[in-house]
């Protein structure tokens, strides 16, 4: 996905990136590649692939939620900052927390925040299962764990106003799993919405879930 194709595709999602946002994404890409030579951040390094599989893929969350209406977001297991850093760039209204268990990644993310001059974004070096300090409007994560583990990880930081939105690949087997259904029931959770789609160009399967506590 070229930068021009990226712009065209996110416009289909309802986004019109500013020149500053596009400049920030470009700087982010360059930092990702430079740091990746020192620490393992991503196997995806080709520019067209980063724009498709990291930048565009991160933004597909808006197929299921209007982030302009939300205030706080936690991206756990954020790795090199996907989707949270991309969401902060494109939705500066969000107060974003990036959480990861590997300090080397946190150091990288802090440098990106500084270089891009981003405000109201913080990093936390912690494992999600040990993080119980805050409540957020939106919880999200991408390709971190199977559904059962995600439910266990987030049960202590969800309340009735929280929207948990995991970005997944093919997930039908997990959704049909009896144990996963039992876990949802146990913690009073329900899948409010589900979006299935194919990633442009590559045509790989993506699924986005919206999980909430029952009112």
């Amino acid at each position: 996905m070229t930068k021009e194709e990226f712009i065209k595709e996110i416009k289909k999602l309802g986004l019109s990136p500013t020149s500053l946002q596009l400049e920030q994404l470009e700087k982010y890409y360059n930092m990702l590649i430079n740091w990746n030579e020192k620490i393992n951040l991503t196997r995806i390094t080709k520019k067209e692939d980063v724009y498709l599989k990291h930048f565009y893929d991160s933004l597909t969350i808006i197929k299921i939620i209007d982030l302009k209406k939300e205030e706080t977001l936690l991206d756990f297991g954020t790795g090199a900052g996907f989707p949270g850093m991309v969401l902060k760039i494109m939705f500066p209204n969000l107060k974003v927390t990036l959480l990861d268990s590997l300090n080397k990644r946190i150091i990288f993310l802090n440098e990106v925040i500084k270089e891009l001059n981003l405000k109201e974004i913080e990093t936390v070096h912690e494992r999600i299962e040990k993080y119980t300090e805050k409540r957020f409007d939106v919880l999200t994560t991408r390709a971190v764990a199977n559904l059962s583990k995600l439910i266990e990880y987030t049960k202590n930081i969800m309340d009735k106003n929280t929207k948990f939105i995991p970005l997944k690949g093919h997930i039908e087997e997990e959704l049909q799993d009896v144990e996963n259904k039992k876990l949802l029931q146990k913690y009073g959770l329900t899948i409010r919405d589900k979006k299935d789609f194919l990633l442009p160009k590559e045509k790989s399967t993506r699924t986005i879930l919206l999980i909430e506590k029952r009112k």
Side-chain angles (χ1 to χ4, degrees), residues 68-130:
K68 292 177 181 176
K69 295 181 179 179
E70 305 299 331
E71 185 177 349
T72 57
L73 179 142
L74 170 67
D75 173 22
F76 64 89
T78 186
F82 308 116
M85 187 73 77
V86 180
L87 296 179
K88 177 60 189 179
I89 291 169
M90 294 303 300
F91 296 90
N93 59 290
L94 287 173
K95 295 177 183 177
V96 172
T97 299
L98 304 175
L99 185 146
D100 200 86
S101 61
L102 191 62
N103 197 47
K104 289 180 180 180
R105 294 178 189 142
I106 295 296
I107 293 170
F108 164 71
L109 294 171
N110 285 334
E111 286 300 310
V112 175
I113 290 168
K114 181 180 177 182
E115 178 67 24
L116 302 188
N117 195 29
L118 299 174
K119 308 300 181 186
E120 295 192 307
I121 178 171
E122 65 174 359
T123 59
V124 177
H125 177 215
E126 185 58 275
R127 300 184 68 85
I128 182 60
E129 56 266 40
K130 295 182 179 180

Side-chain angles (χ1 to χ4, degrees), residues 16-204:
S16 297
T18 65
S19 56
L20 173 61
Q21 288 168 329
L22 291 173
E23 181 183 325
Q24 288 174 325
L25 288 173
E26 187 71 10
K27 284 183 179 179
Y28 185 15
Y29 166 74
N30 289 328
M31 291 185 74
L32 178 70
I33 298 308
N34 290 334
W35 276 71
N36 202 54
E37 295 178 0
K38 297 178 285 184
I39 62 174
N40 182 28
L41 292 169
T42 179
R43 296 188 303 255
I44 298 168
T45 56
K46 189 177 177 184
K47 191 170 186 177
E48 289 82 359
D49 290 338
V50 171
Y51 269 82
L52 173 64
K53 298 177 184 179
H54 284 329
F55 294 172
Y56 176 83
D57 194 28
S58 293
L59 292 169
T60 58
I61 190 174
I62 65 174
K63 287 177 175 285
I64 212 165
I65 189 174
D66 183 357
L67 289 177
K68 292 177 181 176
K69 295 181 179 179
E70 305 299 331
E71 185 177 349
T72 57
L73 179 142
L74 170 67
D75 173 22
F76 64 89
T78 186
F82 308 116
M85 187 73 77
V86 180
L87 296 179
K88 177 60 189 179
I89 291 169
M90 294 303 300
F91 296 90
N93 59 290
L94 287 173
K95 295 177 183 177
V96 172
T97 299
L98 304 175
L99 185 146
D100 200 86
S101 61
L102 191 62
N103 197 47
K104 289 180 180 180
R105 294 178 189 142
I106 295 296
I107 293 170
F108 164 71
L109 294 171
N110 285 334
E111 286 300 310
V112 175
I113 290 168
K114 181 180 177 182
E115 178 67 24
L116 302 188
N117 195 29
L118 299 174
K119 308 300 181 186
E120 295 192 307
I121 178 171
E122 65 174 359
T123 59
V124 177
H125 177 215
E126 185 58 275
R127 300 184 68 85
I128 182 60
E129 56 266 40
K130 295 182 179 180
Y131 186 69
T132 59
E133 295 178 24
K134 291 188 178 181
R135 292 294 186 270
F136 296 87
D137 298 327
V138 181
L139 306 177
T140 190
T141 190
R142 193 180 72 138
V144 164
N146 60 37
L147 189 58
S148 60
K149 287 184 178 179
L150 293 179
I151 294 168
E152 292 284 359
Y153 289 163
T154 57
K155 66 180 186 293
N156 292 325
I157 53 173
M158 282 192 71
D159 60 27
K160 291 184 178 179
N161 297 314
T162 307
K163 303 173 183 71
F164 176 33
I165 307 176
L167 310 183
K168 303 281 285 181
H170 190 69
I171 197 177
E172 285 306 315
E173 285 186 18
E174 289 187 60
L175 291 177
Q176 298 305 319
D177 188 283
V178 174
E179 292 305 313
N180 287 338
K181 292 180 179 179
K182 286 180 179 178
L183 273 179
L184 289 167
Q185 184 73 25
K186 178 180 178 181
Y187 296 120
L189 302 174
T190 186
I191 298 175
R192 295 278 183 207
D193 201 358
K194 173 176 170 282
K195 300 292 184 187
D196 299 302
F197 61 97
L198 298 178
L199 207 61
K201 296 179 76 72
E202 187 185 79
K203 303 302 182 186
S204 54

